[in-house]
């Protein structure tokens, strides 16, 4: 199962590295690193302004990646793709831009399994606008019970639903298409944002099929560089809402009296974008497409299955999230009785095994689980069974050390 690891230079340069923290950020294949170097070495120029060859090449490349990204998530139009810094910025953009649409007495709905980036912006917007902030709970299976989901909330006064596709702690894959369909049948006017930061890198996502209004993800979790993220929005909605940032590049005409904003997507892309980041995103998509997103998902499923089976055999280890790998994505959070998650991560770190510990930017979820922290191992295409074996051996060592 080592076919993909060779594509990632970091594993050649650091052969002892066991990287199990891809939910935080992924490693980058050589094709992505080469594309960044090629841009800086051969056509580094700003976009949408220079009238010379390398500026035109950079501009054309950025627009090609916009089209490529649109195809990747099956957006209807390339203009529906807005380049931002990361998923967090994309969510904030929507929250700011929709500001006036949420009125006193309306409600904004989100869920207990959200990352803070899809929780805090909505909580704050609700506070500022005097709206209700409603949080959907999970059941004992770490999933939403669709039945309760419907009966507890009638969505009649809800203007916004912000919901994650995949939990970055539980790994739960939410039946997002079904949820959107049910919520829309209760309230056809509600706006729905899907946080796809943990799904787009790992599984096929089709925004037209989902029928979401907005969807966000980060390039750095799908093998592109840090600093590039994507906001997808339905074109007619993007045309209606206010820009988030004002300045150069987002205008058609400026006079002392007024400004006419550029059309979508440019009205949301003020200032010089992360050109190298956009190019890296194009290469990352190319890499995923050449592997096949379904193959990525199946491959990860095999690793996850293997990891879960082995982890379950460790005495005193609690796994959070659906117990069956079928219903989850490449994230496994756990605790070992009597050992703090930070201690687990620290001892593994000393062995070059990289996992994460803490609340993973989901404090409300950890409060709901009744634990202050969890340890989290997360997987991607470059991991293999040997990585899992090293994790298991490492955890046995952790237990040995703390039993004394
Ligand atoms: C589910 C989820 N949403 C949003 C984010 C935020 O991503 P970023 O830090 O790239 O903005 C993360 C990051 O871990 C995440 O896991």
């Amino acid at each position: 199962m080592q076919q993909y690891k060779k594509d990632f230079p970091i594993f050649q340069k650091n052969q002892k590295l066991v990287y199990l923290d891809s939910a935080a950020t992924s490693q980058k294949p050589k094709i992505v690193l080469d594309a960044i170097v090629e841009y800086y070495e051969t056509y580094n120029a700003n976009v949408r302004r220079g009238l010379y060859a390398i500026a035109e090449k950079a501009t054309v490349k950025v627009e090609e990646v916009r089209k490529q990204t649109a195809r990747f998530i099956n957006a209807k139009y390339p203009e529906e793709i807005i380049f931002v810094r990361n998923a967090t910025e994309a969510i904030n953009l929507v929250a700011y831009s929709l500001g006036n649409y949420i009125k006193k007495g309306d409600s904004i709905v989100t869920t207990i399994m959200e990352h803070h980036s899809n929780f805090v912006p909505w909580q704050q917007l609700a506070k500022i606008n005097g709206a209700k902030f409603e949080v959907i709970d999970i059941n004992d299976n770490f999933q939403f019970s669709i039945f309760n989901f419907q009966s507890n909330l009638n969505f009649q006064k809800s203007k916004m639903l912000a919901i994650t596709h995949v939990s970055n702690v539980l790994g739960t894959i939410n039946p997002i298409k079904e949820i959107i369909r049910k919520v829309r049948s209760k309230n056809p006017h509600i706006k729905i944002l899907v946080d796809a930061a943990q799904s787009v890198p790992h599984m096929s996502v089709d925004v037209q099929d989902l029928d979401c209004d907005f969807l966000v993800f980060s390039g750095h979790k799908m093998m592109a560089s840090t600093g590039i993220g994507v906001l997808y929005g339905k074109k007619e909605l993007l045309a209606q809402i206010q820009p988030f940032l004002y300045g150069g590049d987002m205008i058609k005409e400026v006079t002392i009296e007024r400004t006419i904003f550029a059309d979508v997507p440019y009205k949301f892309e003020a200032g010089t974008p992360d050109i190298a980041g956009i190019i890296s995103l194009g290469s990352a998509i190319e890499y995923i497409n050449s592997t096949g997103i379904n193959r990525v998902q199946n491959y990860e499923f095999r690793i996850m299955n293997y990891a879960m089976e082995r982890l379950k055999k460790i005495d005193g280890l609690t796994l959070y999230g659906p117990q069956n790998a079928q219903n989850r994505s490449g994230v496994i959070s756990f605790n070992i009785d009597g050992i703090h998650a930070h201690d687990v991560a620290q001892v593994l770190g000393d062995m070059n095994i990289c996992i994460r510990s803490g609340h993973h930017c989901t404090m409300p979820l950890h409060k709901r689980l009744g634990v202050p922290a969890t340890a989290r191992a997360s997987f991607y295409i470059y991991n293999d069974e040997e990585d899992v074996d090293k994790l298991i051996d490492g955890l046995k060592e952790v237990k040995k050390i703390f039993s004394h």
Side-chain angles (χ1 to χ4, degrees), residues 23-24 86-89 91 115 117 164 166 168 195 197-198 218 220-221:
N86 47 40
T88 304
E89 184 175 295
I91 296 166
H115 188 279
S117 63
T164 195
V166 170
N168 66 314
D195 177 354
Q198 298 292 352
S218 291
H220 70 94
K221 293 187 198 289

Side-chain angles (χ1 to χ4, degrees), residues 120-321:
V120 182
W122 304 113
Q123 181 194 54
Q124 295 306 305
L125 181 62
K127 272 209 170 97
I128 292 164
N129 291 13
K132 211 167 149 193
F133 182 58
E134 297 183 281
V135 180
I136 297 167
D137 199 7
I138 42 172
N139 60 24
D140 294 341
N141 229 358
F142 307 97
Q143 287 160 324
F144 300 126
S145 150
I146 297 292
F147 179 73
N148 287 338
F149 193 111
Q150 281 189 300
S151 59
N152 289 350
L153 270 165
N154 63 21
F155 286 100
Q156 295 308 311
K157 292 203 161 178
S158 309
K159 284 277 185 78
M160 184 78 210
L161 168 66
I163 184 168
T164 195
H165 191 179
V166 170
S167 161
N168 66 314
V169 174
L170 305 172
T172 311
I173 304 173
N174 290 317
I176 207 79
K177 182 177 172 184
E178 193 186 352
I179 290 171
I180 291 175
R181 196 173 49 75
K182 285 188 170 155
V183 170
R184 286 212 193 285
S185 74
K186 297 203 159 267
N187 178 353
H189 304 296
I190 192 168
K191 303 288 174 280
I192 300 175
L193 178 143
V194 176
D195 177 354
Q198 298 292 352
S199 61
V200 163
H202 303 279
M203 62 193 70
S204 170
V205 171
D206 178 333
V207 288
Q208 292 189 69
D209 186 47
L210 292 182
D211 191 27
C212 51
D213 295 300
F214 303 102
L215 181 135
V216 307
F217 56 98
S218 291
H220 70 94
K221 293 187 198 289
M222 54 183 287
M223 300 184 269
S225 60
T226 48
I228 180 66
V230 172
L231 166 65
Y232 156 82
K234 281 185 180 162
K235 196 174 165 188
E236 61 276 16
L237 259 176
L238 292 174
Q240 284 166 29
I241 63 178
Q242 281 294 306
F244 168 47
L245 296 171
Y246 300 106
D249 258 4
M250 52 78 68
I251 55 94
K252 256 185 196 152
E253 190 189 311
V254 181
T255 63
I256 291 178
E257 293 76 26
R258 68 183 168 97
T259 294
I260 302 174
F261 303 133
D263 292 331
V264 169
Y266 305 115
K267 83 171 182 187
F268 294 106
E269 293 183 355
T272 301
D274 178 3
I275 302 165
I278 294 170
I279 290 166
S280 80
L281 179 67
S283 284
I285 291 176
E286 206 179 308
Y287 182 78
I288 294 174
N289 283 343
S290 70
T291 308
I293 188 73
N294 291 334
R295 204 186 296 166
V296 170
Q297 189 175 8
N298 289 338
Y299 181 88
E300 285 173 23
F301 171 71
R302 273 165 55 204
I303 300 267
M304 277 282 294
N305 212 9
Y306 179 64
M308 284 181 66
E309 288 316 310
R310 291 217 59 193
L311 283 165
K312 279 181 193 167
K313 290 192 183 124
I314 296 184
D315 256 4
L317 188 144
T318 306
L319 274 181
Y320 300 94

Side-chain angles (χ1 to χ4, degrees), residues 11 61 71 75 80 84 108 110 154 239 242 251 259 265 269 291 300 314 320 360 381 389:
F11 297 115
K61 184 72 195 167
R71 283 194 299 274
E80 295 181 320
V84 291
I108 301 175
T110 188
N154 63 21
Q242 281 294 306
I251 55 94
T259 294
E269 293 183 355
T291 308
E300 285 173 23
I314 296 184
Y320 300 94
H360 318 300
I381 188 88
D389 294 342

